[in-house]
Structure formats: C-alpha cells, structure tokens
Amino acid sequence: MDKLIITGGEQLNGEVRISGAKNSALPILAATLLASEPVTVCNLPHLHDITTMLELLRRMGVDLVIDEKLNVEIDASTIDKLVAPYELVKTMRASILVLGPMVAHFGEAEVSLPGGCAIGSRPVDLHIQGLRAMGAEVVVENGYIHAKTNGRLKGARVFFDTVTVTGTENILMAATLAEGQSVIENAAREPEVVDLAECLIAMGADISGHGTDTIVVNGVEKLHGCRFPVVADRIETGTYLAAVAATGGKIKAKNTNPKILDAVLQKLEEAGAKITCGEDWIELDMEGRRPKAVNVTTAPYPAFPTDMQAQFSAMNAVSEGVSILKETIFENRFMHMQEMIRMGAKINIDGNTAVVEGVEKLQAAPVMATDLRASASLVIAALVAEGDTVIDRIYHIDRGYECIEEKLQLLGARIKRVPS
Ligand code: EPZ
C-alpha cells in the first residue's frame, strides 16, 4: 500500500482546479440504468470509486465507452446480469445505488448488502422500506437483497424517518419509471441529490421539489438519453479551503460552485478567512494569520456537512482558542482524532462530542488513515506539523481526492507518495 510523506510548516498559496463531485457522479452513473438510450456523463473525477462503479456496470453487461477526458457513454440496453456482487459492493457501499434503477427498469435486482464501514453501521433498511412501499417484493437473505416486481413499480408516498442521501437517491430513481405519482417526504436536500434530479429530468423524468424535503415524481414509461456534466465537488473544495486556512495561506479554488457551500464558507469566515466568490470560483485569504477556533455541529444539508467535520477538526487543532465539534450523523466518525492526539493535538472526546484546544503546531508522526475524510484530515494535520509525517493506508484518499499530492504541490506543499 502506498504512503504519503508530508513535511509540514509551509504556508500554502496558489490555485487549485476542483473535480466533479464523487457523490453526484456515483448516483448519476447508476441512473444510466434507467435509460432506454445511451447516456453520456461528463466532468467525472478520476477516482477509484468511479472506476469501481464503472466496473460494476461493465460486469452487469452494460456497454460503456470512455474517452480520454473520462467522459463515459453508457448504454444499459446490453445489460445481461442483474447482480451487484459482494466482492465489488464490499469495496464501495455506494454500489447500493444500482438497486432502485435495476428494479424500476428491469423488474428485478440482486444486490449484496453493503455491510458496515469504519464510520458506522450504515444500514440500508430505509432503501428497502421505500422499494416495498412502491410494490417491490424484497427478501434479504445470505447477505444479499433480492428485489423484484411484476410489472411496473407503483408510485407511493415514501417517508424517511432519518434523512438519507443515497436512500433518497435510490427511491427518486425508482420513482421516475413507476406507475403514477410518488412523494418522497423528509428527503435529503444535498446538492448531489439535486444534481441527480436534474440529470433525470434531462433524461425525460417528471420531478419537482428536489432540493427541498419533499420531492414529487410523476412516473413516465421510459427515459431517453442525455449528455450531463456532474456538479463540482463541494467537499473537495471545502477540504482545500480548510487545508490552506490551517496554514494561514491563500487559495483560489476554480471550476467549483460557491452556492452549495454556505455553511462551510460561513465557518471559514468565522475562523478569520477573507472570502470572495465568483460564478465558478472561491478565493480564501488568511492574510498570514493563524485561524481562530470554530464550533461545528454536523447535520443534513444545508447545515454543516458531516464530510467536512474531520477536516475542520484538523484546522481547529492548530487554531487560536477552544472549539467543540458535534457529529450527529454517524456514530463513529472521530477516529482521525486519536491519530491527531498522537501528533500532539489537545482533544477530549466524549461520545459524539469533541473539545479541541488549539496548539501552535503539531508534531510529525507515523499515522494511519481509516476512512476517506479522516485521511484528508490527517493530510491537513501533517501540513501544520513540524517534521515529516508518514500517512499509511492512503487508498482511502484515492477514493475521494483526485491527484491530491499534485494539487497540494501546486499550493506549495512538500508532499510525496511512496510505494510501500
Ligand atoms: C452519503 O452516504 C454520502 N455518500 C456520504 O459520503 C455522506 O457522509 C452521507 O451521505 C451523509 O451526508 C454518498 O453519497 C455516496 P445516509 P449515505 O444514508 O447515503 C442512517 C464520503 O465521505 N441510515 O445519508 O450512505 C445512516 O446510518 C461519504 O464521500 C439508516 O439508518 O448516508 C446514517 O446515520 C461518507 N438507514 C444516516 O442515516 C438507511 O437505510 C445518514 O446516512 C440509510 C441511512
């Protein structure tokens, strides 16, 4: 497994180009299974999770053509295997997103249960409840979800008692081809859900209310092809902004979308950043100052995203003052903090709350990544640590951050990848 070696202490300055959003690309790639004509998806990030999803579709017999820019044309009409096998699903839980489209378009699906993951148990009971409400017969046995429907799914009212992003996406996709109207209540409002809805509308779906907690879908007989660019990655954007803020530097994030990052930008301004935005760029300038500590409580969009909590705990670790971080979405998303404590961070953890007392700088140490965003936070911690930090198990990073060392080197970071 590769490692990253980072020599901390540099103030980061420069420009970075943001990639397409992983968490928008994954449901949109799954949505191509709904179409009766080829769909071309553009602005895909070059990430391991994207290649895993493409591999899953290919294993199902779906015809896909990839061009040199990683734009992918997908023709689901060649599908011949309605199965998402455990060997792929265990490496990427977002594979569950093929469940709704497969049942809605082909009448059946066999999808491995994703199992738990480092940050929590992450059940998919709400996905299954939603499909049952639409008339699907769903049996869970031997670690697989077996779903089928005789004829079309039926439009239904689906209420989620917990806001679930991929649960909303699975039911939204299934509803596009169901007979009659579906209403999804307490729906996720994330920008990636909105991006998926916009793609489905471009394919001929009849959807309204996306971006609110109530989405209305009038089912149609079939969906046609389209060419769709995925939205910019707001979490990648926030990660680079937080990294530069931690070092007291200046950055211009290009090819991004400032309108889907309000909660994060507000917290960065609270931390002392000067922020200016354009149509597709965000500039952050700390004017050489150390960030001030900011309190963070994660919650569903538009509140502060759980996927940015780890990065902010790293920034808070070297900020002026004491901060409180509350994680309300996942039950075990503080693992990165144990590693930061080994680097000299002053953090007290009590259940889903962490109190961080900022220190001037951290000390380099050998650390290990445990999940995607935790590994990004360890990169930030290493950037503000004295000495050379070695981060192991960085395959987690490659799942969500395209060319992270090149982008950070462009900002002046001393970072290199070494094969282990
Ligand atoms: C999506 O995961 C994202 N992944 C996650 O990003 C993100 O952290 C999460 O939403 C929350 O924003 C993708 O979009 C591919 P949830 P998802 O269903 O959909 C509970 C990253 O770093 N729940 O919104 O799996 C669940 O346990 C990843 O890119 C149920 O109880 O998350 C959690 O406590 C990490 N039953 C809460 O809901 C269900 O059936 C929110 O989970 C589904 C979810």
Side-chain angles (χ1 to χ4, degrees):
M1 281 182 268
D2 292 357
K3 295 182 189 318
L4 282 178
I5 299 181
I6 298 171
T7 306
E10 303 295 333
Q11 188 183 94
L12 301 189
N13 285 284
E15 296 192 349
V16 73
R17 184 184 164 76
I18 298 300
S19 306
K22 164 179 84 82
N23 290 351
S24 176
L26 292 172
I28 285 174
L29 288 171
T32 63
L33 293 173
L34 293 162
S36 303
E37 296 168 359
V39 175
T40 299
V41 188
C42 316
N43 195 33
L44 282 173
H46 298 224
L47 295 174
H48 193 266
D49 273 11
I50 299 302
T51 44
T52 302
M53 180 60 87
L54 293 175
E55 173 58 18
L56 173 58
L57 294 174
R58 200 187 57 74
R59 293 263 192 101
M60 293 159 67
V62 170
D63 198 27
L64 35 102
V65 178
I66 303 175
D67 73 15
E68 71 292 342
K69 294 201 189 75
L70 195 61
N71 296 324
V72 185
E73 183 185 81
I74 297 172
D75 178 0
S77 64
T78 59
I79 195 168
D80 58 13
K81 208 159 178 298
L82 299 174
V83 179
Y86 176 62
E87 61 185 294
L88 278 178
V89 176
K90 72 180 176 187
T91 67
M92 187 187 64
R93 55 178 306 102
S95 311
I96 190 75
L97 286 163
V98 300
L99 176 64
M102 268 204 278
V103 179
H105 192 189
F106 305 106
E108 63 177 294
E110 201 174 312
V111 176
S112 165
L113 276 170
C117 99
I119 61 178
S121 59
R122 300 181 75 180
V124 289
D125 54 313
L126 300 177
H127 300 237
I128 293 169
Q129 269 172 34
L131 287 175
R132 283 180 173 147
M134 298 174 79
E137 277 169 55
V138 185
V139 173
V140 180
E141 61 185 3
N142 307 106
Y144 274 78
I145 301 166
H146 306 264
K148 68 172 193 270
T149 173
N150 298 319
R152 289 169 72 186
L153 290 171
K154 303 282 178 288
R157 175 184 169 277
V158 175
F159 172 77
F160 285 119
D161 58 9
T162 305
V163 175
T164 162
V165 173
T166 50
T168 299
E169 290 165 344
N170 240 332
I171 299 310
L172 171 61
M173 289 188 281
T176 58
L177 292 179
E179 198 172 344
Q181 185 178 82
S182 297
V183 179
I184 306 173
E185 293 182 348
N186 200 25
R189 300 168 56 188
E190 270 67 6
E192 295 75 29
V193 175
V194 172
D195 210 36
L196 169 64
E198 291 299 334
C199 179
L200 292 167
I201 290 166
M203 290 160 65
D206 177 348
I207 299 170
S208 57
H210 42 297
T212 77
D213 62 3
T214 303
I215 302 176
V216 179
V217 185
N218 295 306
V220 295
E221 297 263 323
K222 61 168 32 179
L223 293 176
H224 51 70
C226 74
R227 182 181 178 84
F228 193 85
V230 302
V231 71
D233 193 321
R234 63 192 168 103
I235 303 300
E236 184 193 22
T237 306
T239 300
Y240 285 106
L241 295 178
V244 171
T247 69
K250 180 176 179 182
I251 179 175
K252 183 172 189 176
K254 299 189 297 183
N255 200 45
T256 188
N257 179 345
K259 301 184 194 67
I260 55 179
L261 213 56
D262 285 348
V264 173
L265 297 181
Q266 195 177 66
K267 283 294 169 186
L268 288 166
E269 286 180 324
E270 216 181 290
K274 294 278 173 290
I275 290 182
T276 47
C277 298
E279 186 57 31
D280 63 352
W281 58 266
I282 300 170
E283 189 164 88
L284 171 144
D285 188 355
M286 293 299 288
E287 297 168 334
R289 288 190 305 274
R290 188 178 160 201
K292 294 198 238 4
V294 290
N295 295 333
V296 158
T297 298
T298 66
Y301 193 86
F304 192 90
T306 175
D307 290 351
M308 282 300 304
Q309 175 260 110
Q311 298 89 315
F312 266 66
S313 58
M315 186 183 79
N316 275 334
V318 291
S319 294
E320 271 169 34
V322 177
S323 56
I324 299 172
L325 294 104
K326 283 202 180 87
E327 173 56 58
T328 72
I329 304 291
F330 292 112
E331 59 265 34
N332 188 30
R333 206 169 196 180
F334 282 164
M335 284 168 297
H336 49 285
M337 294 186 186
Q338 299 303 344
E339 294 297 272
M340 285 181 207
I341 289 167
R342 293 180 53 244
M343 298 172 73
K346 288 190 179 159
I347 303 176
N348 276 306
I349 299 173
D350 177 9
N352 72 341
T353 301
V355 179
V356 181
E357 183 189 339
V359 295
E360 281 274 338
K361 61 177 63 149
L362 300 175
Q363 293 103 40
V367 292
M368 185 176 74
T370 48
D371 69 81
L372 169 54
R373 307 304 172 185
S375 34
S377 72
L378 294 177
V379 169
I380 296 173
L383 291 168
V384 291
E386 210 161 39
D388 295 349
T389 296
V390 180
I391 304 179
D392 201 353
R393 298 196 182 180
I394 57 163
Y395 57 85
H396 291 293
I397 285 192
D398 295 335
R399 297 189 50 183
Y401 292 92
E402 182 178 347
C403 309
I404 190 165
E405 62 263 37
E406 287 85 354
K407 292 188 178 183
L408 284 172
Q409 282 161 357
L410 281 174
L411 294 170
R414 293 164 63 190
I415 177 171
K416 61 177 184 291
R417 178 186 292 256
V418 290
S420 55

